[in-house]
Amino acid sequence: TVYAEVFEENKHMFKEDEFLAVIGKVSEDRFSGGLRISAEKVFDIVSARVKHGKQLAMALPTTVDVRKMAEVLAPHRHADGLPISMRITPQGVGCVVQLGEGWRVAPSDDLQHALRQVLGAQEVEIEY
């Protein structure tokens, strides 16, 4: 059950066939004899990833164009988003590059798809 107060604050998240995570209280439903969940907080997939995720990690080819990478990331930048960690192997030496705070992103499915398709990233995942 989502009461008016919670719904009004989050109505932009309520879309047909979209993922929602709910934090709430479980109680006995005396009418049906089952259980009822009363929502206290609601998160869409991106908000849930940001709240519970540690970082967006990926493996990038060493030939990635940094201007193209900035172009892909720019529309998804979000001050409260997840930091980005990139594994690369220049000249056979593996290393991890952490982007600065200004490059935090909202980790949407669209961003993850663009990282794979446009930049050739592999193992794109949210680390929890």
Side-chain angles (χ1 to χ4, degrees), residues 28-39:
E28 184 179 341
D29 185 341
R30 295 174 193 207
F31 180 73
S32 71
L35 297 176
R36 175 174 48 191
I37 300 172
S38 298

Side-chain angles (χ1 to χ4, degrees), residues 46-57 80-85 96 98-99 101 104-105 107 125-128:
V46 173
S47 299
R49 287 172 177 163
V50 168
K51 179 163 179 60
H52 299 288
K54 177 181 170 189
Q55 65 184 3
L56 174 63
D80 296 326
L82 293 179
I84 299 174
S85 174
V96 176
Q98 294 282 134
L99 295 187
E101 289 294 309
R104 287 179 166 264
V105 293
E125 59 192 14
I126 309 300
E127 293 181 353
Y128 294 93

Side-chain angles (χ1 to χ4, degrees), residues 5 7 9 14 18-19 22 27 31 34-35 40 47 49 62 69-70 73 85 88 90-93 101 104 109 119 125:
E5 181 180 306
F7 177 76
E9 288 178 26
F14 288 84
E18 290 290 325
F19 172 87
V22 176
S27 59
F31 180 73
L35 297 176
E40 294 174 346
S47 299
R49 287 172 177 163
T62 56
M69 181 172 36
L73 294 175
S85 174
I88 58 173
Q91 300 176 357
V93 178
E101 289 294 309
R104 287 179 166 264
D109 291 342
L119 300 181
E125 59 192 14

